[in-house]
Amino acid sequence: MPNFNDILVLLPEFYLVAAACLLLLLDAFMKPEQRGLLHWLSIAVLLVAVYLVVAGQPDGTATAFNGMFVRDRVAEILKVFALLCTVLVFVYARPYLADRKLFVGEFYTLAIFAVIGIMLLVSAGNLVTVYLGLELLTLSSYALVALNRDSPLSSEAAIKYFVLGALASGMLLYGMSMVYGATGTLSLAQLHGAAAHSAMPNLLLFGLIFMIIGIGFKLGVAPFHMWIPDVYQGAPTAVTVFIGSAPKLAAFGMAYRLLESGLGDLAQHWQLMLAVLAVLSLAIGNLVAIVQSNLKRLLAYSTISHMGYLLLGLVNAGPEGYAAAMFYAISYALMSTAAFGVILALARAGFECEEIDDFKGLNQRSPWMAFLMLLAMFSLAGVPPLFGFFAKLLVLQAAIDANMLWLAIVGAVFAIIGLYYYLRVVKVMYFDKPQDGVRLEVQQDVSLRWMLSLNALLLLVLGLCWGPLLGWCRAAFGLVSA
Amino acid sequence: MFNHLLSLLIWLPVVGAVPVLLAGSARPNLARWLALLMAVLTFVVSLFLLPQFNAADSAMQLTESHMWIASLGVHYGLAVDGISIALILLTTFVGILVIVGAWEVIQDKPHQYMAAMLVLEGLMIGVFCATDALLFYVFFEAMLIPMFILIGIWGGPRRVYATLKFFIYTFLGSIFMLIGLIYLYLKAGTFDLHTLAALPLTMQEQSWLFFAFLIAFAVKVPMVPVHTWLPDAHVEAPTGGSVVLAAVMLKIGGYGFLRFSLPIVPDASEHFAWLVIALSLVAVVYIGYVALVQEDMKKLVAYSSVAHMGFVTLGIFIAFMLVRGAGDVDMAKLGMQGAMVQMISHGFVSGAMFTCIGVMYDRLHTRSIKDYGGVINVMPWFGFFYVLFAMANSGLPGTSGFVGEFMVVLASFKANPWIALFAAFTLIIGAAYTLWMVKRVLWGDITNPHVREMKEINGREAFVLIAFAAAVLALGIWPQPLIHLMDASVSQLVQQLAVHKI
C-alpha cells in the first residue's frame, strides 16, 4: 500500500495527470472560440508543474513505490527543461494551429501526457517504469504526429513512426527480459550490483545490445534514425517542434538510467557500441543534411548528428561525461525550439515556409527574424560565442577524457562538414534576393514574438555565461566546482 | 585605478553596434554617425592604453581576470603586452578608416554594415587581449560571423562562394586547435596561457599540438598551401572588408604563433621550424611570381599580402635557428622585431592599397588592370597617394614596408645566407608586380574613355588616404617608438625560446 510520502514524491506527476484530465474535460464543454483560455490554462498548468518540481525537490535522492520511481537532481533538471520547452512549444504552436484549423484541445492534452511520460522516464528506478514512461511518451507522440488527419503526409509519417516505434519498443522489452533473465531483477539499483557477477554474462550482453537498440531508436541515432526525417517533415511543424525538443531530454534521461544506473558495470561494453553509433550518426546526419532542400528535413538530419555528439558525452561513462551530455541535450532542445520557432513564426495558412528557398531574402523582409534564425543556425553549427559551441566543447572534452581522441577528431571533422548546411541557411536569408510571390510576413502573435526572441537570444546569453547551467548539471552528477 | 580598460575596448564597439542597428535602414545617416562615434571613441580609449602601459616591463599588463566558468576553472582573462598594444592600436585606427571609407559607398543597409564592422572590431581586439585559451578561441571564431556577413551581403558577384570558402577554411583550421586546447586543458586543468606555457610536454605531444596550432594559424596568416581562400575573399569582399581582412585579420595568424606555438610547444616549433621557413620562402618567392601575372588589382594585392606575411612567419621562426642553433639572441630578437614591424606595416600598407583600389572601383566599377591607364591625368592627387603606397608595398626605404623586411632579411642572413637570398628576392619581385601595376593603371595614355570621367578624390577619401599615408611614412622614417613599445615583450619571447620543455 503506497503511503503518503510516496505520493508526495510523485506530486508533480500526479498533479499533471489530474490537470491533463481536467483540461480534456474542459475542452469538451468549451466553445471553439474560447480555446484561447485553454491555451493559457495549459501553459499555466505546466508552469505550476515546474514550480512543484523545483519546490518539492528533496535534498539528495528520494525514492517512491519501492524504488520504482527516483527523484534526484538529474531528474529535476531534465523535468524542468522538458516542461519549459513544452511551454515554448505551446506558445509557438498556437498561431500555426489556428491558421490550419488544428487549434484543438487534443494537442494540449496529448502534449501534456507526453510530458508526463517524459517525467516518468527520467525518474525511472525500474525497467518497468522505463517502459511505462516510454510508451506514454511515444503513444502520445504518434497521435500528435497524426494530428492533421487530412494530410496524407502526416498520416504516412505517423504510421511509419508507429511501426518503427513499436518495433523498437519490442526490442527494448526483449532486451529487458533477457537482462531480467540474467540477473533476476527489474530494479535498476539492484541491477547495478547484480550485473557485475551475473551467472549468465552472455545473456546479459545480449540483453544490453537490444536495450541499446531501443535507446538508439529513441535518441534517433544512426542506424536507427530512419523515422526521424519522415516524421519531422511529415508532422505539422507545431508537432515537430515538440518532438524535436523535450523528448530529446527524455532520451538522454532514459539512456542515463538504463546504462549508468542499471548497467553501469557493463560500461566497457556499451562505451564502444555508443562510439560506433556516434560515428555513424555524425556521418549520416551531416552528410545527408547537405543535400536537403526542405528545412524541416535538414533539421531532422541535423538532429541525428547532434544526437551523435550527445553520445560523445555518454561514451565517457563518467560523471563528467554525463554532465556534458545532459548539457548538450538541454542546449539542443533550446536550439531546436528556436529554429523551428522561426519556421512557425513565418508559416501561415497555405504556406508552410519549410523549404530553404522560402527563406530567401528574409533579412530584407524581417531583419529581426533573420537574426534570430542566424543565432539558431550558428549555435547549431557550434560557432562561438553561441551556446551550441560550448555544448560541443564539453562533449569533445568528455570524449578526449575517455581516451577516445579519435572520436573527438571524428566529431571535429563532421562539425566542419555540418557547418556548410547551416551556413547555407544563413546565406539564403542574408545574401539572396527575396523570391517573387512569396509572402514572408511574421505572425502577429505577440507572445510568439517575445518568446521566440527570448529563446534565440538565450542562445547568445547562455553562450556568454553558461557557467551556472554547467555547474547545475555537474552538481547533479555529484561533481563539485573547482 | 580604473582597471577595466581592456574590457571597455572590447565591448564598447560590440555593444555600440546595437544602437547603430536600431537606427535602422530608415535613418542611414544616424547609423553612420553613430558608428563613427563608436569607432572614434574606441580609438580614443585605445590611446589611453599607452600612458598606462610600462613598455620597459615585459610582463602582461592591465590584467583583468574574472572567473567565467567556475566548474571548469575558465577565466575571463585579459591582459596586454607591447605586441598586443601595437596590434590593438592598429585595429582601432583601421576601425575608424573603414567606417569613413564606407560612408556613402555602402548604400544598401548601411546600418547593418556599420554594425558588423563594429562587432568585428571589438572581437578582434578581444583576440589580442585574451590570456585564456578558451576566451581566445571564442573571439577567434566569433569574428568569422560578422566577416561572413560582410563579404556575403556587400561583396562582389561571387561573394557567396568566397565567403563560404572563407568561413569553412578558417573553421577547418581552428577546430583542430580546439582539440589541441582541450587536450592541454585535460592535462593542465586550466586554459590559462601562462600556465600552459610552463607545462612540460613530451616531444610527441608537442609535435601533434604544433600541427594543430599550425593549421589554425597557417590558414589565418595565410601560408602556402592554405592561402587559396584569401584571393577569393579579398576580391569579393567590399572595400572595407578587404581592408580589415588584410590589415588586421591576417595579423591574428601571426599573433597566434607568438601566443600559442612558441611558448607552449617550443621544442616542436624548433624541430619543425624548417618547414615553416620553407613555406614562408615559397610564399615570398612563388606567390610573388603569382602576383605578377594577376589581371585583377585586388587579387594582385591579395597575393602580395600572402608574400608579405611570409616575412612575418619567416621572422618568427628564423629566431629558432638563431637562438638554438647559433645562440645569437640579439639577431633572433632582430628577426622577431622585424616580423612585428612587418605585421604593423603591412596592416597600413595593405589597408591603404585596398582603399585605393576601392576608390577606383567606386568610379569605374571594375578592378581589372587593363580597364585603366592614364588615371594620373584625371586624378593627380589620387595618383600621388597610390604611388606612395605602391612604393611602400615594394619596400622602399623611408616607408614602413622597408623596415620590417630589412630586419628580417638581416636576421636570416645571419642564420643562413641562402635563406636571406631567397627572402631578398621580394625586393625585386615586390617592386616588379607593384610598380608594373602602377605603370599600367596610372601612367600611359587614357585608352578607356570612361577613365576620362573619373573624378578626383573627395575630402572623405582624402582623409582616409592621408591617415594611411601618415602612418606609413611615420613608421618608415621613425620606427623607434614602435620598436621600443614591443622591445621588452619581444626580448621576453626570444628568451623563452631557449627554454626546453621536454
Short mmCIF file of all heavy atoms in Angstrom, two decimals, chain A residues 223-250:
data_model
loop_
_atom_site.label_atom_id
_atom_site.label_comp_id
_atom_site.label_asym_id
_atom_site.label_seq_id
_atom_site.Cartn_x
_atom_site.Cartn_y
_atom_site.Cartn_z
N PRO A 223 22.29 3.60 -36.79
CA PRO A 223 21.38 3.31 -37.93
C PRO A 223 19.91 3.15 -37.52
O PRO A 223 19.18 2.48 -38.24
CB PRO A 223 21.95 2.00 -38.44
CG PRO A 223 22.48 1.32 -37.21
CD PRO A 223 22.91 2.39 -36.27
N PHE A 224 19.50 3.73 -36.44
CA PHE A 224 18.08 3.61 -36.03
C PHE A 224 17.36 4.94 -36.23
O PHE A 224 16.49 5.31 -35.46
CB PHE A 224 17.99 3.18 -34.57
CG PHE A 224 18.89 2.03 -34.24
CD1 PHE A 224 20.00 2.20 -33.44
CD2 PHE A 224 18.65 0.78 -34.78
CE1 PHE A 224 20.86 1.15 -33.17
CE2 PHE A 224 19.50 -0.28 -34.52
CZ PHE A 224 20.61 -0.10 -33.71
N HIS A 225 17.76 5.66 -37.26
CA HIS A 225 17.30 7.03 -37.43
C HIS A 225 16.22 7.15 -38.49
O HIS A 225 15.74 8.25 -38.74
CB HIS A 225 18.48 7.88 -37.88
CG HIS A 225 18.98 7.48 -39.22
ND1 HIS A 225 19.75 6.35 -39.40
CD2 HIS A 225 18.78 8.01 -40.44
CE1 HIS A 225 20.03 6.23 -40.69
NE2 HIS A 225 19.44 7.20 -41.33
N MET A 226 15.85 6.04 -39.13
CA MET A 226 15.03 6.12 -40.34
C MET A 226 13.75 6.95 -40.15
O MET A 226 13.29 7.60 -41.07
CB MET A 226 14.62 4.71 -40.79
CG MET A 226 15.78 3.81 -41.07
SD MET A 226 16.83 4.51 -42.35
CE MET A 226 18.04 3.22 -42.52
N TRP A 227 13.20 6.87 -38.96
CA TRP A 227 11.91 7.55 -38.77
C TRP A 227 12.07 9.07 -38.69
O TRP A 227 11.15 9.81 -39.01
CB TRP A 227 11.24 7.04 -37.50
CG TRP A 227 12.03 7.27 -36.24
CD1 TRP A 227 13.05 6.50 -35.77
CD2 TRP A 227 11.86 8.32 -35.29
NE1 TRP A 227 13.53 7.00 -34.60
CE2 TRP A 227 12.82 8.12 -34.27
CE3 TRP A 227 11.00 9.41 -35.19
CZ2 TRP A 227 12.93 8.97 -33.17
CZ3 TRP A 227 11.12 10.26 -34.11
CH2 TRP A 227 12.08 10.04 -33.11
N ILE A 228 13.23 9.53 -38.26
CA ILE A 228 13.37 10.96 -37.94
C ILE A 228 13.03 11.88 -39.12
O ILE A 228 12.16 12.74 -38.98
CB ILE A 228 14.79 11.24 -37.41
CG1 ILE A 228 14.98 10.51 -36.09
CG2 ILE A 228 15.05 12.73 -37.30
CD1 ILE A 228 15.25 11.35 -34.91
N PRO A 229 13.69 11.71 -40.28
CA PRO A 229 13.40 12.67 -41.35
C PRO A 229 11.93 12.69 -41.76
O PRO A 229 11.35 13.77 -41.93
CB PRO A 229 14.28 12.20 -42.51
CG PRO A 229 15.32 11.34 -41.88
CD PRO A 229 14.70 10.73 -40.69
N ASP A 230 11.31 11.52 -41.89
CA ASP A 230 9.93 11.49 -42.33
C ASP A 230 8.99 12.09 -41.30
O ASP A 230 8.06 12.83 -41.63
CB ASP A 230 9.52 10.04 -42.63
CG ASP A 230 10.20 9.54 -43.88
OD1 ASP A 230 10.31 10.34 -44.83
OD2 ASP A 230 10.64 8.38 -43.90
N VAL A 231 9.25 11.77 -40.03
CA VAL A 231 8.37 12.30 -39.00
C VAL A 231 8.53 13.81 -38.88
O VAL A 231 7.56 14.56 -38.80
CB VAL A 231 8.64 11.60 -37.66
CG1 VAL A 231 7.91 12.30 -36.53
CG2 VAL A 231 8.22 10.15 -37.74
N TYR A 232 9.77 14.26 -38.91
CA TYR A 232 10.00 15.70 -38.79
C TYR A 232 9.33 16.45 -39.93
O TYR A 232 8.74 17.50 -39.74
CB TYR A 232 11.51 16.00 -38.81
CG TYR A 232 12.15 16.00 -37.45
CD1 TYR A 232 11.94 14.95 -36.57
CD2 TYR A 232 12.96 17.04 -37.04
CE1 TYR A 232 12.53 14.93 -35.34
CE2 TYR A 232 13.56 17.03 -35.79
CZ TYR A 232 13.34 15.98 -34.95
OH TYR A 232 13.93 15.97 -33.72
N GLN A 233 9.45 15.89 -41.12
CA GLN A 233 8.90 16.59 -42.27
C GLN A 233 7.39 16.42 -42.34
O GLN A 233 6.67 17.37 -42.65
CB GLN A 233 9.54 16.07 -43.55
CG GLN A 233 9.19 16.92 -44.76
CD GLN A 233 9.75 16.35 -46.04
OE1 GLN A 233 10.37 15.28 -46.04
NE2 GLN A 233 9.55 17.06 -47.12
N GLY A 234 6.92 15.22 -42.05
CA GLY A 234 5.51 14.94 -42.24
C GLY A 234 4.61 15.54 -41.17
O GLY A 234 3.50 15.96 -41.44
N ALA A 235 5.10 15.59 -39.95
CA ALA A 235 4.27 16.10 -38.87
C ALA A 235 4.03 17.59 -39.07
O ALA A 235 4.86 18.28 -39.66
CB ALA A 235 4.96 15.86 -37.53
N PRO A 236 2.89 18.09 -38.57
CA PRO A 236 2.70 19.54 -38.58
C PRO A 236 3.87 20.18 -37.82
O PRO A 236 4.30 19.64 -36.79
CB PRO A 236 1.39 19.75 -37.84
CG PRO A 236 0.72 18.42 -37.83
CD PRO A 236 1.76 17.39 -37.95
N THR A 237 4.34 21.32 -38.31
CA THR A 237 5.55 21.90 -37.70
C THR A 237 5.37 22.13 -36.20
O THR A 237 6.30 21.99 -35.43
CB THR A 237 5.89 23.23 -38.39
OG1 THR A 237 5.82 23.02 -39.79
CG2 THR A 237 7.27 23.69 -38.03
N ALA A 238 4.14 22.43 -35.80
CA ALA A 238 3.89 22.67 -34.38
C ALA A 238 4.16 21.41 -33.57
O ALA A 238 4.52 21.49 -32.39
CB ALA A 238 2.45 23.11 -34.18
N VAL A 239 3.99 20.25 -34.19
CA VAL A 239 4.27 18.99 -33.50
C VAL A 239 5.76 18.66 -33.61
O VAL A 239 6.38 18.18 -32.67
CB VAL A 239 3.40 17.86 -34.08
CG1 VAL A 239 3.79 16.53 -33.48
CG2 VAL A 239 1.94 18.15 -33.85
N THR A 240 6.34 18.97 -34.77
CA THR A 240 7.76 18.71 -34.96
C THR A 240 8.57 19.45 -33.91
O THR A 240 9.53 18.90 -33.35
CB THR A 240 8.22 19.17 -36.35
OG1 THR A 240 7.29 18.69 -37.31
CG2 THR A 240 9.59 18.64 -36.66
N VAL A 241 8.20 20.66 -33.63
CA VAL A 241 8.97 21.44 -32.66
C VAL A 241 8.92 20.77 -31.29
O VAL A 241 9.91 20.77 -30.55
CB VAL A 241 8.51 22.92 -32.61
CG1 VAL A 241 7.08 23.04 -32.21
CG2 VAL A 241 9.35 23.71 -31.65
N PHE A 242 7.78 20.11 -31.01
CA PHE A 242 7.71 19.38 -29.74
C PHE A 242 8.60 18.14 -29.78
O PHE A 242 9.42 17.91 -28.87
CB PHE A 242 6.27 18.99 -29.43
CG PHE A 242 6.14 18.17 -28.18
CD1 PHE A 242 6.33 18.74 -26.94
CD2 PHE A 242 5.88 16.81 -28.25
CE1 PHE A 242 6.25 17.98 -25.78
CE2 PHE A 242 5.80 16.04 -27.11
CZ PHE A 242 5.98 16.62 -25.86
N ILE A 243 8.44 17.36 -30.84
CA ILE A 243 9.20 16.10 -30.93
C ILE A 243 10.70 16.36 -30.94
O ILE A 243 11.50 15.56 -30.46
CB ILE A 243 8.76 15.33 -32.18
CG1 ILE A 243 7.33 14.87 -32.00
CG2 ILE A 243 9.66 14.14 -32.45
CD1 ILE A 243 6.79 14.09 -33.13
N GLY A 244 11.07 17.53 -31.49
CA GLY A 244 12.49 17.82 -31.60
C GLY A 244 13.11 18.38 -30.34
O GLY A 244 14.31 18.60 -30.28
N SER A 245 12.29 18.64 -29.31
CA SER A 245 12.89 19.28 -28.14
C SER A 245 12.80 18.42 -26.89
O SER A 245 13.75 17.71 -26.54
CB SER A 245 12.24 20.64 -27.92
OG SER A 245 10.84 20.50 -27.80
N ALA A 246 11.66 18.45 -26.22
CA ALA A 246 11.56 17.79 -24.91
C ALA A 246 11.90 16.29 -24.95
O ALA A 246 12.62 15.80 -24.07
CB ALA A 246 10.17 18.03 -24.33
N PRO A 247 11.41 15.52 -25.95
CA PRO A 247 11.74 14.10 -25.95
C PRO A 247 13.24 13.80 -26.05
O PRO A 247 13.67 12.72 -25.65
CB PRO A 247 10.99 13.56 -27.18
CG PRO A 247 9.86 14.49 -27.34
CD PRO A 247 10.38 15.83 -26.96
N LYS A 248 14.02 14.76 -26.55
CA LYS A 248 15.47 14.53 -26.59
C LYS A 248 16.02 14.49 -25.17
O LYS A 248 16.96 13.74 -24.88
CB LYS A 248 16.17 15.63 -27.39
CG LYS A 248 15.70 15.76 -28.80
CD LYS A 248 16.03 14.52 -29.60
CE LYS A 248 15.34 14.57 -30.95
NZ LYS A 248 15.32 13.29 -31.63
N LEU A 249 15.45 15.34 -24.32
CA LEU A 249 15.87 15.31 -22.91
C LEU A 249 15.50 13.97 -22.30
O LEU A 249 16.26 13.37 -21.54
CB LEU A 249 15.18 16.44 -22.15
CG LEU A 249 15.54 17.85 -22.58
CD1 LEU A 249 14.55 18.85 -22.03
CD2 LEU A 249 16.93 18.20 -22.11
N ALA A 250 14.30 13.48 -22.68
CA ALA A 250 13.85 12.20 -22.15
C ALA A 250 14.78 11.08 -22.63
O ALA A 250 15.12 10.17 -21.86
CB ALA A 250 12.43 11.93 -22.61
#
